[in-house]
């Protein structure tokens, strides 16, 4: 009877195979006892050892163990591959999600910007409308002020025309009356000196009746300065009011409240705004050009009692905000010859045009004063002397 060699469930044809299988089993048991082959990395290491021949088996028992290790490695590789694919898929999904979130943020940002631009557009449009309304209102106020000035100027023109005719008629009537008086005179009359109240010039009588604070008229040929001059007890009153006392951005020209125009002070000072439109004293800045000054050096300033002509002798710039600056507007009446010459010396110090050498102590002066933005509290003033 043939002998059978068995090892567990495995049978071997020869004793040599059986002994080889026993030796393989010992190796397998040693590996299993010392290594955790359930660990994928350990199993992969054992696989490489066997595959590289560093561990050799002699029987089909060793072959079966190697197949088992190979299956473990294959399963682990498949698991890793699936895990990698899953991670890659998660990464891609994460990137897509992130991209969607970024895109959503961009859209939200664009919407916010669009809303902001819309808001800014509405704000700018509203501001433009407000500016347009303010500009329109400013233009309306300036035009209204201009119309009122034109009305006063028209009254002056009408008065001049009517007074010319009235003077002619009075002249004829006076001639006839003198002739009658000459015929009826029996005794020479004794001359007596009677102090008379000065009479308002005929061309200004209507204006004076309508505007009690009207005291004169200033005119410079070939300029916008053909304007009435007011005077009240408050130098700030006409800065923002017209001749009627109504609010007006242009204000009105006015004589310094300290001046006496009936018995003229040494220096009459007229104030007016430096308007960008050229209204009021807006045209005085042109006197900074000598070529302009030489062709516009005469100023006609009529009080309601007397026609007067002045010639410019100085054009000056002054910083009245400077603590040490000369306050030219405080020179109203010369107290002495030294006081008069001190005024001349001071205006020479700030003059851009100077002909004060032609001025004497007996001269009557006229000063036109306005603002000038060459410094914060800058002033431009023109000084003229009376020539007739």
């Amino acid at each position: 009877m043939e002998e059978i060699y068995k090892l567990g469930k495995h049978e071997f044809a020869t004793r040599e195979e059986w002994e080889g299988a026993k030796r393989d089993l010992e190796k397998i048991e040693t590996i299993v006892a010392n290594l955790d082959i359930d660990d994928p990395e350990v199993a992969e290491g054992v696989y490489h050892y066997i595959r590289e021949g560093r561990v050799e088996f002699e029987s089909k028992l060793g072959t079966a163990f190697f197949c088992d290790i190979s299956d473990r490695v294959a399963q682990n590789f498949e698991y890793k591959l699936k895990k990698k694919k899953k991670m890659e898929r998660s990464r891609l999904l994460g990137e897509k999600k992130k991209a969607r979130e970024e895109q959503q943020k961009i859209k939200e940002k664009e919407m916010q910007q669009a809303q902001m631009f819309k808001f800014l557009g509405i704000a700018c449009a509203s501001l433009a409308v407000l500016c347009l309304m303010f500009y329109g209102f400013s233009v309306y106020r300036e035009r209204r002020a201009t119309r009122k000035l034109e009305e006063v100027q028209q009254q002056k023109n009408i008065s001049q025309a009517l007074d010319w005719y009235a003077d002619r008629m009075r002249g004829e009537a006076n001639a006839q009356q003198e002739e009658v008086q000459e015929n009826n005179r029996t005794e020479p009359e004794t001359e007596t000196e009677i102090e008379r109240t000065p009479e308002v010039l005929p061309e200004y009588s209507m204006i004076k009746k309508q505007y009690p604070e009207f005291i004169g008229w200033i005119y410079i040929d070939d300029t916008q300065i053909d304007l009435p001059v007011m005077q009240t007890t408050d130098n700030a009153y006409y800065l923002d009011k017209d001749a009627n006392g109504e609010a007006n951005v242009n204000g009105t020209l006015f004589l310094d409240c300290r001046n006496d125009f009936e018995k003229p002070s040494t220096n009459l000072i007229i104030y007016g705004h430096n308007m960008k439109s050229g209204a009021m004293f807006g045209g005085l800045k042109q006197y900074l050009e000598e070529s302009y000054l030489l062709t516009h050096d005469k100023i006609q300033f009529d009080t309601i009692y007397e026609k007067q002509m002045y010639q410019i002798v100085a054009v000056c710039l002054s910083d009245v905000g400077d603590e040490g600056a000369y306050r030219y507007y405080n020179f109203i009446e010369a107290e002495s010859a030294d006081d008069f010459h001190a005024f001349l010396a001071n205006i020479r110090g700030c003059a851009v045009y100077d002909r004060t050498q032609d001025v004497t102590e007996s001269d009557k002066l006229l000063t036109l004063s306005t603002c000038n933005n060459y410094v914060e509290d800058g002033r431009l003033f023109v000084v003229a002397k009376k020539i007739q």
Side-chain angles (χ1 to χ4, degrees):
M1 181 177 177
E2 186 178 353
E3 188 175 354
I4 299 174
Y5 299 95
K6 297 181 70 174
L7 188 62
K9 62 180 182 178
H10 296 282
E11 294 183 355
F12 301 94
T14 64
R15 184 176 180 84
E16 289 79 7
E17 291 180 358
W18 178 72
E19 289 178 349
K22 284 183 67 177
R23 289 190 293 273
D24 287 345
L25 182 60
E26 289 177 0
K27 292 178 183 178
I28 292 168
E29 288 176 346
T30 300
I31 291 171
V32 172
N34 292 283
L35 299 173
D36 183 9
I37 60 174
D38 290 328
D39 186 330
E41 292 184 359
V42 173
E44 189 173 352
V46 173
Y47 170 79
H48 285 296
Y49 263 78
I50 297 172
R51 185 176 179 82
E52 292 171 3
R54 297 168 69 179
V55 177
E56 295 182 352
F57 292 107
E58 303 174 37
S59 66
K60 58 185 178 181
L61 187 63
T63 302
F65 179 73
F66 179 67
C67 289
D68 180 64
I69 292 294
S70 297
D71 288 341
R72 290 173 183 269
V73 171
Q75 289 174 1
N76 183 48
F77 179 76
E78 185 178 358
Y79 171 76
K80 283 184 176 181
L81 185 63
K82 287 181 179 180
K83 185 177 180 181
K84 184 177 180 181
K85 287 181 178 179
K86 185 177 180 180
M87 289 176 66
E88 183 68 18
R89 186 165 56 252
S90 298
R91 184 183 67 80
L92 291 174
L93 289 173
E95 289 181 353
K96 287 181 180 179
K97 183 180 179 181
K98 187 177 180 180
R100 285 196 299 270
E101 289 175 351
E102 290 292 333
Q103 191 173 8
Q104 184 65 25
K105 287 180 180 178
I106 292 172
K107 286 182 178 178
E108 290 176 356
K109 188 175 181 180
E110 289 176 349
M111 288 178 65
Q112 290 175 352
Q113 288 179 341
Q115 290 177 349
M116 182 179 69
F117 288 139
K118 183 178 179 180
F119 173 77
L120 288 174
I122 294 172
C124 289
S126 300
L127 183 61
V129 170
L130 288 174
C131 290
L132 188 61
M133 290 174 63
F134 179 76
Y135 174 76
F137 181 65
S138 299
V139 171
Y140 165 75
R141 287 196 301 172
E142 287 198 18
R143 287 182 178 175
R144 185 180 66 175
T146 301
R147 283 197 300 270
K148 289 187 176 180
L149 279 176
E150 288 173 350
E151 289 174 3
V152 178
Q153 289 168 339
Q154 188 175 19
Q155 285 182 350
K156 179 191 174 188
N157 295 335
I158 293 171
S159 294
Q160 285 178 323
L162 293 175
D163 291 336
W164 175 84
Y165 179 75
D167 285 344
R168 181 179 175 183
M169 297 302 294
R170 278 195 297 269
E172 293 178 358
N174 289 337
Q176 292 176 359
Q177 186 176 1
E178 287 176 1
E179 184 178 352
V180 171
Q181 288 176 349
E182 184 68 26
N183 294 332
N184 295 332
R185 183 176 298 166
T186 57
E187 295 180 359
E189 294 181 357
T190 303
E191 293 184 1
T192 58
E193 292 185 1
I194 301 174
E195 186 176 348
R196 295 183 180 180
T197 302
E199 293 184 2
V200 176
L201 294 173
E203 62 193 87
Y204 297 127
S205 58
M206 288 177 60
I207 302 174
K208 181 64 177 176
K209 288 177 182 178
Q210 185 170 354
Y211 305 102
E213 293 178 340
F214 169 72
I215 59 90
W217 196 279
I218 186 169
Y219 171 76
I220 302 177
D221 189 30
D222 192 31
T223 72
Q224 293 189 54
I225 299 176
D226 184 10
L227 302 165
V229 180
M230 316 300 283
Q231 186 185 41
T232 185
T233 56
D234 179 5
N235 276 347
Y237 182 78
Y238 282 109
L239 288 174
D240 56 2
K241 294 180 179 63
D242 61 19
N244 287 313
E246 297 178 2
N248 190 303
V249 67
N250 289 332
T252 305
L253 301 186
F254 62 93
L255 185 69
D256 194 299
C257 65
R258 297 168 293 178
N259 280 135
D260 184 351
F261 70 93
E262 293 184 12
K263 296 178 180 178
S265 309
T266 304
N267 183 32
L268 298 177
I269 307 176
I270 299 176
Y271 301 96
H273 283 309
N274 181 5
M275 303 303 294
K276 290 182 180 179
S277 63
M280 299 300 121
F281 278 166
L284 289 186
K285 53 183 169 286
Q286 297 185 73
Y287 279 108
L288 296 173
E289 297 291 335
E290 188 172 355
S291 58
Y292 179 86
L293 185 149
L294 294 175
T295 56
H296 300 80
D297 66 336
K298 301 295 190 304
I299 302 173
Q300 181 179 339
F301 173 55
D302 300 342
T303 70
I304 56 175
Y305 303 125
E306 179 186 11
K307 292 182 177 293
Q308 305 171 125
M309 185 67 71
Y310 292 81
Q311 185 170 27
I312 295 173
V313 294
V315 178
C316 307
L317 291 173
S318 177
D319 177 8
V320 297
D322 185 358
E323 186 175 346
Y326 178 64
R327 304 302 196 263
Y328 64 91
Y329 44 78
N330 285 330
F331 180 71
I332 303 294
E333 189 70 62
E335 300 296 333
S336 64
D338 289 341
D339 191 24
F340 187 88
H341 289 294
F343 171 72
L344 295 181
N346 277 290
I347 65 172
R348 287 189 192 107
C350 57
V352 294
Y353 171 82
D354 180 20
R355 291 293 299 276
T356 53
Q357 69 271 14
D358 297 335
V359 181
T360 65
E361 298 169 21
S362 60
D363 285 322
K364 294 295 185 180
L365 302 178
L366 172 69
T367 299
L368 310 185
S369 177
T370 190
C371 294
N372 188 279
N373 59 4
Y374 82 104
V375 291
E376 184 176 355
D377 290 310
R379 296 291 187 274
L380 165 65
F381 63 100
V382 175
V383 182
K385 72 172 185 176
K386 186 176 179 182
I387 55 176
Q388 67 180 50

